[in-house]
Amino acid sequence: LVSPKRSIVFDCFAQSSMASKDDDNGNLIKTTDLFVDILIQEGVKFVFGIPGEENLDFTESMRLRQDQIKLILVRHEQAAGFMAATVGRMTGQPGVCLSTLGPGATNFTTSAAFAHLGGFPSLYITGQKPIRDSKQASFQIVDVVEMMKPITKFTRSIASGNMLASTTRRALSTAVTEKPGPVHMELAEDIAAEMTSKTIFEKHVPRRPVAEAKAIRRAAEMVMAAEHPVVLIGAAANRQRAINALRKFVDETGIYWSCTQMGKGVLDERQPGFLGCCALSAKDYVHGALDYSDLIIMVGHDESEKPPVIMRPGSSRKVIHLAFTPASVDNVYSPTMEVIGDVANAVWQIHEHIRENGNKKWDQPVFKRYKEMSDVKIQEGLADNAFPMNIARVCADLRKVLPEDGILSLDNGLYKVVLARLFKAYLPNTVLLDNALATMGAGIPNALGCKFLFPDRKVVSISGDGGAQMNLPELATSVQYGLNVVHVILNDNAFGMIKWKQAGAGFTNWGLDLKNPDFVALAKSYGAHGHRVESADEFAPLLQKCLDAPGTHVIEVPFSYEWISERLKKIPAEVHDLHKQIYKEFGQCYKEESFHRVQSMDADLVSVSSAMMGGSSPLVATSVKPAHTPPAAAPVQITKRAKTTTSAQVGKAEYTVQKGATIPFYLGGEAMTPNGNLPVINKYNQEEFCKVALADESHVDKATEIAATVGAEKMRELPPYVRQQILQNIVEEATRRRDEFGYYLAIEAGKPIKDARGEADRLIQTFQLAAEEATRIYGEYANLEIAARGKGYSSLTKRVPIGPVSLISPFNFPLNLAAHKVAPAIAAGCPFVLKPASTTPLGALLIGEILSKDPNMPPEGFSILPCSRAAGNLLTTDDRFKLMSFTGSPGVGYKLKNQSGKKPVVLELGGNAACVVDDLNVGLSQLVEEVVHGAFYQSGQSCISIQRLFVNENIYDQFVDAFVSKVKSLKAGDPLDEDVFIGPLISEKDAIRVEEWVHEAVTGGATLLCGGRRFDQVFVSPAVVENVPKDAKLNVEEVFGPAVTIEKYSDFREVVAEVNNSKFGLQAGVYTNNWNRAHYAFDNIEAGGVCINSTPSVRIDSQAYGGVKDSGLGREGIKYAIEDYTELRVMIMKDAGKL
């Protein structure tokens, strides 16, 4: 049958113990047994369909193997085909569906065409009457093979069982070869039952050919020569390796990008470089940016999709077609050159060429401005309370409720265009829409196909009332198999899109109105849960409730196309205005060709006045910069933004630190800028914000010498009221510049702006406390006549400065934790050298700036030096320092302690804080708010954020439901956005670590209730992980990220013991209304602080703060820190006061 050199043949029985009919020699197998064995070896888990009598041998073979492959009985063959195509789309491996002959087979055609145009690998199996001895003439006979030829990649009728194995392997290989698509096999009733040889061809994955080296080199040269290129991502880029290559390419080059409808989700659409989805072919906001470009890199474009942009022949703008297959040139798509081959490899090779030739990066202020302005425009309608609802509000609520990995399956209608524009996809294959065949009726079955594949993910389908009714009986399939899925039906009682087109064409409203059933009652009749929205504000909470509840849910949403109609009328004019505004700002940036492309977008609307043109044609520019250079003191506003437009992002001219500046360090009170070696990175967009001077060993040594000599003397001699004045001056300056301090903190630490301003407030309070304590450093008198030998003796004690102190502060609270070291040093009269964290040095340097301008502060009394680790080691080992105060990780802290010699050490180290929820006395809503904040503020990057959560079993389910729901609602994004709660982690390395620890816990048997996935490089979605193994890092170590473990308990003594089952002991929280339990916790929890009816995440800046075990030594809190920064000195007197 085949050459042994070309394939390997396996004995089926050697591979499995599958039951089958056999002859006495054991060499033969029934054809359908072999067919099912092949499917199992190929990895097929489901066969969707409706069997007929011609398929009974096949279904019997499946029954005998039902533990390995499942038959999913649907209500219509079309739906089976959609489900199979969706499996192929989601996995890259063929989904399989089954039908009988004749009418069953003809029902496959729409879904096969859907898979064919969409590029979804799938296998359509149809039955047929016996081909050797049929007694039914032409009854139900249709030439199915000929019917399927135009809509499949391969179709065959199996004429003999001996041909089955090779034909199946060929069909499945063809299905996944680029461009993927459907294949068809017809199996007649008599062939199905015959015996055949037991051979299975080994599955192999062919390597895709790579593009020609010359084409790669030429494409790379075109990219490097372009001044303002863009990437446009199509459906065929949705391959895992291609996704990874593209992500690195746009991240590292800074090239802006867009996508087609079916390219959504290939890259995370929250990225700052995302210009928008080309849901329309022209006249949308994104097209202005595309028309401004001088090169479009079309990655994975498939001409089956509706064109994302009109490409006019003869245009000087170049287009690179980078795809698996050659371009089909027509009037709307005419690439300049083609790179044909494996997409991932081609992107990688082009990227490597760029790296090897200067590693060019593109700074694109015009694209930034397009994005900023269109991001604002596109928000219209998202908060609209009109009812019936508009699609923008539906879209906003869907995005708010669906988790990152939630799947949205769209049917076809005008609403699809709006959802493609507004609904941001965070992960691949999370927005399933069809922009190729664009068939109605696919939304519901596609959602079911996803749910069979991913039972633990949230899945929502969106259908119009017309499209929903084409496959609404599949609700019965969903109920039969116990699927937890939500189907939203947008009900306008009409075929709304066609009705809208009818009106637009000037025709009379006729023939398109529907008299719909009661969808709620209909859903219930199928055994599903039916719901109807009565107001716009009801939709989001109802959707959340349905997603969290088991079962199949149908939500009917009364819906109007009026908003879409009016909105689409306005967009061309708004686009025109947008172009005018950008041209005013950046006129010199527009090359003439770019400008004319923008002009020609809409001849009726786009005409630039001579006033705007200044009476002349746009000039050709060799670099991209604003038409008018702003004064040096005023920042260019667009460089202050990354993804969203907020008032905090604009910045102010009076702010000390502007983007691109180099900031000095302070050595002996003097500002110095010997270099700019330390970049300060905006943690959100990973762009360099400014540079900071970096100290070396010589700088640290000089600072130490100054502090140990002149500085120690001058600081010691300062009277308390002067120290108070110095501290009070910091309070006044920080109060005046509070918003500025918060802005820098959001930039350098990625801390959400509200929390950043809150930390600025805490810095102010900390220095205010120190100012008060500076005049309260008291001594005491003691009568020492406690025995005969002490007769006549008395003593006076006072606290004196300990001397020069070295201070090392961490990245997570760069303002307030620096304040907690600097403020007591000044109050106590100690000169200091402070090393701030290299990732967040600005906060400490702001304090240095204020001190350097204070005439009361001896300049020799302070140095603030961002420095290398080698230089920083001197702060530990140098004996001229009389105390070291360090905040950071236990590993580093105890290493420094061992190196510190004789000097005392204060260590404020890590923790994996526990919180016990014993009752709901404070109220469920308030409790959840407090615990969510305590666990996830600053993305969990706090040593007292809640990491381990223990909940009384009597309230566990109630609490967990509310807690997880609240966590899912937390908004992640730009820290400068006032509504953002979850910001980036301090580094990509830390984000990867957190994700890996969550994965390790889940792999070990824990249950992931939400989150735990990394996105945008430095973000991790807030994770709640249930029943984590005791030895998992998530339990044992300090996660320092947005992840919380949760488990129930029954015995209070046991849960206290579990809290203590940790090497850390910083703070713990206990919510209880039982005063005895509160005291028991206080007496028995091994921690520096026990917070009753509060989370452990609370730190009041006047409290004694510190830990036990691996959580540190000593205490912070101004009053208590002053004790560490001073020494008791006693004067013993004999016969004092006696004459």
Side-chain angles (χ1 to χ4, degrees), residues 663-668 670-675 693-694 699 702 865:
I663 311 305
F665 58 56
Y666 294 88
L667 196 164
E670 181 182 351
M672 296 183 178
T673 315
N675 57 56
L694 188 68
H699 296 121
K702 184 177 180 180
L865 302 175

Side-chain angles (χ1 to χ4, degrees), residues 241-253:
R241 288 175 58 251
I243 291 168
N244 295 336
L246 270 170
R247 183 182 296 124
K248 292 179 181 177
F249 181 74
V250 298
D251 284 350
E252 293 183 19
T253 62

Side-chain angles (χ1 to χ4, degrees), residues 343-652:
V343 168
N345 180 270
V347 173
W348 173 76
Q349 285 201 65
I350 292 171
H351 194 186
E352 286 299 299
H353 274 274
I354 294 171
R355 285 171 172 159
E356 292 166 4
N357 291 275
N359 203 21
K360 182 175 180 179
K361 294 178 173 58
W362 282 262
D363 183 21
Q364 303 274 22
V366 174
F367 285 146
K368 283 184 181 179
R369 194 66 174 130
Y370 265 115
K371 176 174 173 56
E372 290 164 1
M373 295 178 71
S374 62
D375 279 354
V376 172
K377 285 287 187 183
I378 211 165
Q379 301 296 313
E380 184 173 328
L382 297 183
D384 190 354
N385 286 322
F387 194 79
M389 292 184 72
N390 79 56
I391 189 59
R393 175 61 186 274
V394 172
C395 178
D397 288 352
L398 282 166
R399 184 64 280 175
K400 180 170 63 176
V401 171
L402 266 179
E404 279 187 356
D405 66 344
I407 298 171
L408 184 64
S409 171
L410 298 181
D411 207 87
N412 204 62
L414 188 57
Y415 57 84
K416 181 193 72 174
V417 175
V418 181
L419 277 163
R421 294 174 76 245
L422 299 184
F423 187 92
K424 288 190 176 181
Y426 301 158
L427 295 171
N429 293 323
T430 54
V431 179
L432 304 185
L433 51 74
D434 171 22
N435 193 36
L437 184 65
T439 178
M440 297 171 70
I444 291 174
N446 289 349
L448 300 188
C450 291
K451 200 64 184 178
F452 280 111
L453 275 177
F454 308 112
D456 295 329
R457 290 170 67 176
K458 306 295 187 186
V459 178
V460 175
S461 76
I462 302 287
S463 304
D465 46 351
Q469 291 180 83
M470 294 181 182
N471 272 307
L472 201 60
E474 298 310 318
L475 292 179
T477 305
S478 183
V479 170
Q480 177 174 338
Y481 291 97
L483 301 184
N484 302 328
V485 63
V486 178
H487 303 289
V488 176
I489 299 176
L490 305 175
N491 185 10
D492 69 334
N493 293 297
F495 285 106
M497 179 175 180
I498 309 305
K499 190 174 179 179
W500 174 73
K501 292 264 190 180
Q502 185 182 59
F507 295 121
T508 301
N509 176 23
W510 185 82
L512 295 170
D513 290 320
L514 294 171
K515 184 173 178 60
N516 283 328
D518 183 333
F519 288 113
V520 173
L522 186 59
K524 292 179 179 178
S525 73
Y526 281 116
H529 305 276
H531 315 269
R532 182 178 292 109
V533 172
E534 302 294 343
S535 71
D537 288 337
E538 286 184 12
F539 178 57
L542 177 58
L543 179 61
Q544 184 70 68
K545 177 182 176 181
C546 293
L547 282 171
D548 292 340
T552 297
H553 295 260
V554 173
I555 302 177
E556 179 188 345
V557 178
F559 176 75
S560 172
Y561 270 99
E562 182 178 352
W563 180 88
I564 300 179
S565 179
E566 293 303 312
R567 193 76 196 90
L568 290 179
K569 290 177 184 177
K570 296 177 181 178
I571 287 175
E574 291 176 354
V575 172
H576 168 56
D577 291 342
L578 181 150
H579 298 326
K580 287 176 62 178
Q581 178 62 35
I582 290 179
Y583 189 78
K584 286 179 181 178
E585 296 181 28
F586 297 95
Q588 299 293 330
C589 298
Y590 274 89
K591 288 190 173 183
E592 189 166 0
E593 168 66 20
S594 299
F595 179 72
H596 287 312
R597 279 196 298 268
V598 172
Q599 267 194 317
S600 62
M601 285 182 65
D602 192 305
D604 294 332
L605 292 169
V606 183
S607 59
V608 183
S609 68
S610 59
M612 188 186 96
M613 294 282 290
S616 62
S617 298
L619 300 178
V620 175
T622 57
S623 61
V624 177
K625 56 185 178 181
H628 304 286
T629 304
V636 181
Q637 289 188 353
I638 62 168
T639 65
K640 302 285 283 184
R641 303 186 182 97
K643 290 189 177 181
T644 57
T645 304
T646 67
S647 60
Q649 286 175 296
V650 177
K652 296 181 179 179

Side-chain angles (χ1 to χ4, degrees), residues 6-39:
R6 301 276 309 251
S7 63
I8 299 175
V9 178
F10 287 91
D11 186 302
C12 297
F13 288 110
Q15 298 301 310
S16 70
S17 58
M18 301 173 187
S20 68
K21 297 178 181 178
D22 203 351
D23 69 352
D24 292 338
N25 296 325
N27 295 321
L28 300 177
I29 186 172
K30 190 171 76 168
T31 298
T32 53
D33 283 347
L34 177 62
F35 203 171
V36 176
D37 287 348
I38 291 171
L39 295 180

